[in-house]
Every structure is written in C-alpha cells, then in structure tokens.
Amino acid sequence: MADKRLGYKVHRRILDETAVEEIAEKSEMTLSLSEKVKKSVRCSGPQLKRHLLDRLPVLSWLPHYSIKENLIGDLISGVSVGIMHLPQGMAYALLASVPPVFGLYSSLYPPLIYFIFGTSKHISIGTFAVMSVMIGGVTERLAPDSNFMIWDNVTNGSIVDAVSRDTERVRVATAVTFMTGLFQIMLGVLQFGFVVTYLSEPLVRGYTTGASIHVIVSQLKYTFGINPVRYSGPLSLIYTVVDLCYLLPQTNIGTLVVSIVVIICMVLAKELNTFLSKKIPVPLPMELLAVAIGTVISWQVNLEDKYGVAVVGNIPSGLLPPTFPPASLFGQVIGDAFALAVVGYGIAISLGRILAIKYGYQVDSNQELIALGLSNSVGSMFQCFSVSSSMSRTMVQVNTGGNTQIAAAVSSVIILCIVLWIGYLFESLPKAVLSAIIYVNLQGMLKQLVDIPVLWKKNKVDAVIWVSTFILTLLLNPDIGLAASIAFSMLTVIIRTQLPKYSLLGQVHGSDIYKPLEDFHQVKPVPGIVIFRSSATLYFANAEMYQDALKIKEPDEDIAAIQVESEPAPTLPRAVILDLSPVNFLDTMGVKTLSNIHKGYASVGIDVFLTGCQTVVVENLQTGGFFDEKVTKSCLFSTIHDAVLHSQSSSEPNEDITWTQF
C-alpha cells in the first residue's frame, strides 16, 4: 500500500520569544488587588441567577423534569433503594456504636438535603460502612463502656448503663458529624474541590479494603456473642483480634448458628440475584427478607431469652425534634471530623464522576462538597451520623431505572413510613443478622485485593501505594491511616520528581521532530548541538541533580569544568538547547540553576537556548532575575527546531528559513 500521508512545507522566519510576543500581541494587562476584589464581588442579574442555580441545582433540573420519561423508573428505583436503606441503616448504626434507629434517621434526612443541593443524578447518599466504622471509633473512644458502669443488686456486680452510654454516644456522633459537614462546606465555598485529586484510585481502593477489615473485626463480637475490650489508636486492630481469640471459648452457640445460617443464605441469595439479573428488572430484596425472616423467627422462638442471642431492642416510633450538637465536644473531634470529611467526599465524588461520564453529564466538585456538607451538618441536628454514597445502593438505583434524585426523595419517604409506623416490629431482630448483612455487603470491597497483581503489571508505583495504604490503614486505624497514606502517596510523587529520566535528543531525519537518542535507532544527534530534556519539572528538590545530569549527558567533556580563560575545544558543541516543555513552574532554585548553566556555558563561548517554555515559566524566569542586559528573551524559543536552525545559521534570527517535510 502506498504511503498516503501528506507532507508539508513551512516558510517563515525563525522566531524567538520576543518575536512571538510581538506577532501574537502578548497581553500586558494586569489587575490590581483592589480591582480583582471588585470584579469578584460584582454581580449582574444573569450572574446572580447562574450563581443561584449553581448553589440550588434542583431549581435547574426539577422544572424540566420529564414525568413521562423518568417518573416510573425513579419510583421503582426509589422504593428499591428505600428497602435497602432499612437493613443497611440499622446494620451500619451498629458499626457507629449507636442504636439502630439512628441509622434510619441517617437514611432519611441526608438524601432529602442532597436532593436539593447535589449535582449527581444517580448516587445514593446515606449510611456507608467505612464512614460508620470511623464514627464508631470516635464514639467508643469518647464514651467507652467503662464510663457507664453501675452496680446491679440482682447480680451483685457491675453492669453497663446502656441507656446513658448510648445517649452520650449519640451526642458524640452528632458532634463529629456536624464538624464533618462544616469542614466540607468550608472547603466547597473556598473552591477546594480539587483536594480529591490527592486521593488516587489505588489509594482509595487500598484504603476502603483496609477499612473493610476493620469493619469485619468490629462485627465479630456480634457473630460470636462475646464482648471484647474496645481498643483505640495504632495497632488497635491487632489487639482486638488477640482479645477476640482469647474470648472464643465464651462463644454463644445460638448467636454463632444464627450468623452462619444467615451468611450462607445471603451469599446464595446474592448469587441467585446475579443469575436472575437479566431476567427480572428489580433485584430481589434479599437483605430485607433476611431482616424480616430473622425477626419473625427470633420473635417466635424467643432467641433472646432462651439462647441469649442479642437483639436490636427498643426502636422508638416517630421523629425526634432538631437539636444543636454539643459544642463542648467539637474540640475533641476536630481531627476525626476532617478525616471523615475527606473520606466521605472522596468516595462520593469518585462514584459520582464515574456515573456522570457514563451517562453524559457533569458533576460540580465544589458544589458536591457543599451538598455533602449540608447533608451532614443539617442531618446532625436531626440525630444523624456522617454519610456518604454507597456503591451497592447506587448500583441498585441505577440498575432499577433511576434517572434523577427523585429516586432519593422516594427512598426517604419509604424510610419515613418505617420510622413512623412499623419500626417497632424489628425490635426482636438479632444483631447477628445485621452483622451477616454487613459481611456479605463487604464482598465487593474484599474483592479489591485482586487489584494488587493487576496494578503490579500496569504500574508498580500504584501497586506499592495500594499495598502501603492497605497496611497503614490496618495498623494505624482509618483516621490516622488515611493521613499516613496520603503522605506516603505524596512522597512517591516527590521521589519520582527527584528521579526523572534525563535524555539527549536527536532529530528524526528530514523532519522537525526530536526524540531521545537512546529510544530510537534512526534518530541522530544534531552536529555541534546538545539537546537536553528532563522528564520532570525543575524545582528545589531536583535542581542540583538536573545540573549534574546535564554534565553526565554532555558528550566527551565536562563543559562546566572548563575554566573561563580556556579556549573551547573543537569537540565541544557550539550550543546547548534545554527542552523545558515538561516544566510547569520554576521556583527560585530552578531559576538559579538555569542562570548558572547559562552563565557557565556563555563564559566559554557556548550558547544556551531554552525551548518549550510555558507562559508561567517565562514569568518565573522574569521575576526570578534570569534576564539582564546580556541575557534577553532572544535565548527563548517556542520549538526545539527554531533553536536548532538559529544555532546552525550564521544569519540574523529574523532572516527567513524554509524547510520541507514529506
């Protein structure tokens, strides 16, 4: 087959940076600080309307809601998700160490708030396992059982005053939830939605997998019917496992049997749902069935009195009046709140962006922070604990035809009906059933362990981040583990910028294309010219290495070692071209390094040219003192080829140069 690629011919003068700025008419307009402030607060009618719609997204899509196209799907989806909220809300309340009814409150109010302020059409806001176990760590640390021991005259021993303990734990949970929401609102208002970029996918998946192990361990006491000591701080997971092993001889057989039976039935039911997924539009509500059947059997057999199986207990009907969280606890939970804010937002925005790309719309990262923050802060006043999006509920919402957040509003109505009228029916539900539901729902997170060999083949650094995040989360707990994982992830970035690839470039024959000499057989060096490139930006952490690498890469002789009075050797190049296209900023050390290179080579008669400089880099050079009477912008070129042609030509830079490419 003949080569049909077109050739091209270029006829123009060689352009240095000064010539480009003249031709392109560079804008020199800069605004003073006062002018910038005035511009930011100035608001016209259309701007005010747009700002209002940005802050209240429901006003932009609800008036255009298509009842014919969306209502049926949203109703079915809302009912399905509402049914899922019941068992998950109660189960995740156990993780948060608060009574189950507060899990139902957390499934009622936050989705309604997100319905008004959120920008994702599909994610399901509510209780989430990782968030709940982090809340549980805070509530049990600040309100441990040991603080609520009372003397029991019947048993002549100390027992826990569960009512007082649970009341205090709810206060702690609402306080940390309020602070979580406050952090998210502040970050959203300050346009800090980009913080999620520091949570890479390997980090998030490694973190959620590690946190799921904490979830499982925290539920083992309900599975075996034992009561281990609650540990906090680094290595608490290991201490808890050791304590659990020590208490295994005290296992309640009735509780263990209930757990095993429910787990087996739930796993088989999940497989049945997968098998039937293509044949039925709505998945069978296996979790609800497990809750209903477990409650009926427990009530009929009287598992609590006969076999000592722990049950959910009192579920009050009705709603509680709003109360402001206890401000006295804010100082004690501020660190936990920030960790919850970052984790909750990271999970929600990651899932929201995936679905937005799939279904062709956009989510506003800053507005998502505000929406999630309001869901938490306002929700805390109604006795809710921290929420985020749930993968399992979101997938049900999508797969059952949910098209908008109307589905979330419908799910909240379902939960409202349960709280007002039928919640008390589940008081006989064994806690072991809720633990079994949690175990089965964590299957997806545990399957993320297979990421490790896949990532190792694709990108070893990402694999190391995944494994390190997983281990740090296990050993340091979810809160401290998250901070340590982010720090480690940032460290890998710093290390990679400190260990970039340095290359000498050569010319692809008959073209204006330049590639690394070591990577291509048919790329030849340009006679008398050294073209040098680093794969990373140039800043204080690698500036010295950049200069050292340039010495090593230079052919035959160390140019920087030549004394000023020496005559240039005939083997030395006439010019050194530094390709700065990978550089996105220069700090003072970077500017100083380039200045030293330029002056050092100029002193022995070797020209130095900088190419591919972004506008910000040129500005950094200018403010950093790189230019003076001797060094002007004539040493800057937009392309490597312009610099090469200028070096090869003995004529003035403005003379026309022609080259042809075929």
Side-chain angles (χ1 to χ4, degrees):
M1 180 181 291
D3 189 349
K4 295 183 178 180
R5 288 175 295 182
L6 298 175
Y8 69 85
K9 183 176 181 180
V10 176
H11 181 81
R12 66 165 172 83
R13 59 177 176 161
I14 300 171
L15 300 175
D16 57 27
E17 185 66 20
T18 303
V20 170
E21 291 179 0
E22 290 176 357
I23 294 173
E25 297 183 0
K26 182 183 178 183
S27 173
E28 300 293 343
M29 185 182 69
T30 57
L31 297 177
S32 65
L33 179 60
S34 60
E35 290 173 329
K36 290 179 180 178
V37 172
K38 290 179 181 178
K39 185 177 180 181
S40 65
V41 299
R42 190 181 299 123
C43 187
S44 63
Q47 286 176 321
L48 179 62
K49 180 181 178 181
R50 185 171 64 251
H51 185 73
L52 180 63
L53 293 178
D54 287 342
R55 289 293 169 260
L56 291 170
V58 68
L59 297 179
S60 62
W61 63 265
L62 190 58
H64 307 289
Y65 182 79
S66 174
I67 296 178
K68 182 179 180 180
E69 294 181 5
N70 298 325
L71 185 59
I72 298 299
D74 284 340
L75 287 175
I76 295 173
S77 176
V79 171
S80 303
V81 173
I83 290 172
M84 286 188 70
H85 268 302
L86 170 63
Q88 287 191 0
M90 297 173 70
Y92 294 158
L94 295 183
L95 292 177
S97 297
V98 295
V101 70
F102 293 95
L104 298 182
Y105 297 154
S106 302
S107 302
L108 168 60
Y109 295 105
L112 287 176
I113 299 169
Y114 186 84
F115 164 79
I116 299 171
F117 297 98
T119 60
S120 172
K121 299 178 181 179
H122 296 96
I123 63 174
S124 173
I125 295 296
T127 55
F128 183 64
V130 173
M131 303 285 289
S132 299
V133 78
M134 293 175 71
I135 289 285
V138 182
T139 56
E140 295 198 12
R141 185 184 78 238
L142 297 182
D145 288 345
S146 58
N147 289 3
F148 302 92
M149 303 302 293
I150 58 175
W151 185 260
D152 183 21
N153 293 324
V154 177
T155 61
N156 285 327
S158 296
I159 61 172
V160 177
D161 183 356
V163 175
S164 298
R165 179 201 62 189
D166 290 345
T167 300
E168 181 62 20
R169 287 182 174 177
V170 170
R171 294 177 74 247
V172 173
T174 56
V176 71
T177 299
F178 180 82
M179 290 298 292
T180 297
L182 196 61
F183 274 125
Q184 290 170 332
I185 294 171
M186 289 171 57
L187 291 172
V189 170
L190 295 174
Q191 305 289 297
F192 269 59
F194 67 86
V195 295
V196 76
T197 58
Y198 294 102
L199 302 176
S200 65
E201 185 177 1
L203 187 149
V204 171
R205 293 175 71 86
Y207 178 80
T208 52
T209 307
S212 68
I213 303 297
H214 281 276
V215 172
I216 291 172
V217 171
S218 72
Q219 293 303 290
L220 290 176
K221 61 182 180 181
Y222 299 114
T223 300
F224 292 98
I226 54 182
N227 192 26
V229 176
R230 175 76 185 204
Y231 296 93
S232 61
L235 303 181
S236 61
L237 182 74
I238 296 175
Y239 297 142
T240 303
V241 171
V242 171
D243 199 22
L244 284 167
C245 293
Y246 178 76
L247 293 174
L248 280 181
Q250 303 176 23
T251 297
N252 182 296
I253 301 301
T255 301
L256 182 60
V257 170
V258 171
S259 299
I260 293 173
V261 171
V262 176
I263 289 173
I264 292 174
C265 291
M266 286 289 294
V267 170
L268 294 176
K270 290 284 185 180
E271 294 299 322
L272 178 62
N273 254 341
T274 302
F275 176 75
L276 296 175
S277 60
K278 296 182 180 179
K279 299 180 181 180
I280 56 176
V282 180
L284 299 176
M286 298 303 182
E287 294 167 332
L288 180 63
L289 290 174
V291 168
I293 295 172
T295 302
V296 171
I297 294 176
S298 175
W299 170 57
Q300 289 292 325
V301 180
N302 196 7
L303 292 178
E304 182 181 19
D305 293 336
K306 286 187 176 181
Y307 302 101
V309 176
V311 298
V312 167
N314 181 48
I315 299 180
S317 298
L319 301 175
L320 297 176
T323 57
F324 192 79
S328 59
L329 294 172
F330 289 169
Q332 300 177 61
V333 300
I334 190 168
D336 304 284
F338 186 77
L340 281 160
V342 174
V343 172
Y345 172 62
I347 292 168
I349 193 64
S350 299
L351 188 56
R353 282 178 173 173
I354 291 171
L355 293 171
I357 292 172
K358 181 177 180 180
Y359 291 98
Y361 64 94
Q362 290 185 332
V363 292
D364 184 332
S365 58
N366 293 307
Q367 180 61 24
E368 284 296 291
L369 267 172
I370 295 173
L372 203 58
L374 289 170
S375 299
N376 280 314
S377 58
V378 176
S380 69
M381 300 178 191
F382 293 91
Q383 315 300 304
C384 302
F385 54 85
S386 296
V387 297
S388 184
S389 63
S390 162
M391 173 69 80
S392 58
R393 290 196 309 270
T394 297
M395 289 301 98
V396 168
Q397 183 165 320
V398 171
N399 295 334
T400 53
N403 296 306
T404 70
Q405 282 297 327
I406 290 289
V410 174
S411 73
S412 292
V413 172
I414 299 296
I415 294 298
L416 178 62
C417 295
I418 293 172
V419 170
L420 291 178
W421 294 299
I422 64 174
Y424 70 94
L425 296 176
F426 300 101
E427 292 179 351
S428 298
L429 173 66
K431 291 182 178 179
V433 174
L434 296 177
S435 295
I437 291 172
I438 291 173
Y439 296 147
V440 176
N441 280 335
L442 290 175
Q443 284 184 93
M445 289 189 186
L446 294 178
K447 287 178 181 178
Q448 292 177 160
L449 287 166
V450 301
D451 288 353
I452 300 173
V454 175
L455 282 175
W456 187 257
K457 292 179 181 178
K458 293 182 177 180
N459 189 308
K460 290 181 173 54
V461 175
D462 282 347
V464 170
I465 291 174
W466 197 107
V467 173
S468 300
T469 301
F470 177 75
I471 294 173
L472 290 170
T473 304
L474 286 183
L475 298 181
L476 302 179
N477 284 359
D479 48 1
I480 303 175
L482 175 66
S485 300
I486 293 175
F488 179 81
S489 180
M490 296 302 296
L491 181 63
T492 64
V493 175
I494 294 172
I495 291 174
R496 278 184 278 184
T497 61
Q498 286 188 297
L499 300 173
K501 181 180 180 181
Y502 298 106
S503 303
L504 289 177
L505 307 185
Q507 186 179 27
V508 177
H509 179 68
S511 75
D512 58 344
I513 299 172
Y514 294 82
K515 294 289 184 180
L517 293 170
E518 65 269 25
D519 295 340
F520 299 90
H521 295 298
Q522 295 302 317
V523 171
K524 304 300 180 184
V526 180
I529 300 175
V530 171
I531 308 173
F532 181 76
R533 175 194 290 165
S534 168
S535 63
T537 196
L538 180 59
Y539 69 121
F540 70 92
N542 61 13
E544 185 175 348
M545 287 179 284
Y546 183 92
Q547 195 164 350
D548 291 341
L550 179 56
K551 295 175 186 177
I552 294 170
K553 288 289 185 180
E554 289 158 0
D556 300 327
E557 299 187 44
D558 184 355
I559 299 175
I562 299 174
Q563 299 299 319
V564 176
E565 63 269 21
S566 302
E567 290 293 330
T571 57
L572 291 178
R574 73 169 68 94
V576 172
I577 298 174
L578 304 180
D579 179 14
L580 300 183
S581 55
V583 177
N584 52 21
F585 74 92
L586 285 173
D587 62 3
T588 53
M589 278 299 296
V591 174
K592 185 176 180 180
T593 297
L594 293 177
S595 182
N596 289 340
I597 291 172
H598 193 283
K599 291 176 182 177
Y601 290 173
S603 66
V604 293
I606 298 174
D607 294 326
V608 175
F609 301 108
L610 312 182
T611 68
C613 296
Q614 301 178 40
T615 302
V616 66
V617 173
V618 177
E619 292 173 354
N620 293 153
L621 289 170
Q622 194 156 356
T623 57
F626 179 81
F627 301 113
D628 55 29
E629 293 135 3
K630 295 181 180 179
V631 182
T632 66
K633 288 185 179 180
S634 62
C635 69
L636 272 59
F637 290 88
S638 296
T639 70
I640 297 175
H641 201 58
D642 276 280
V644 169
L645 293 176
H646 174 64
S647 301
Q648 291 176 331
S649 174
S650 59
S651 59
E652 292 297 321
N654 288 339
E655 183 173 329
D656 287 351
I657 299 293
T658 302
W659 72 91
T660 304
Q661 163 85 21
F662 291 105

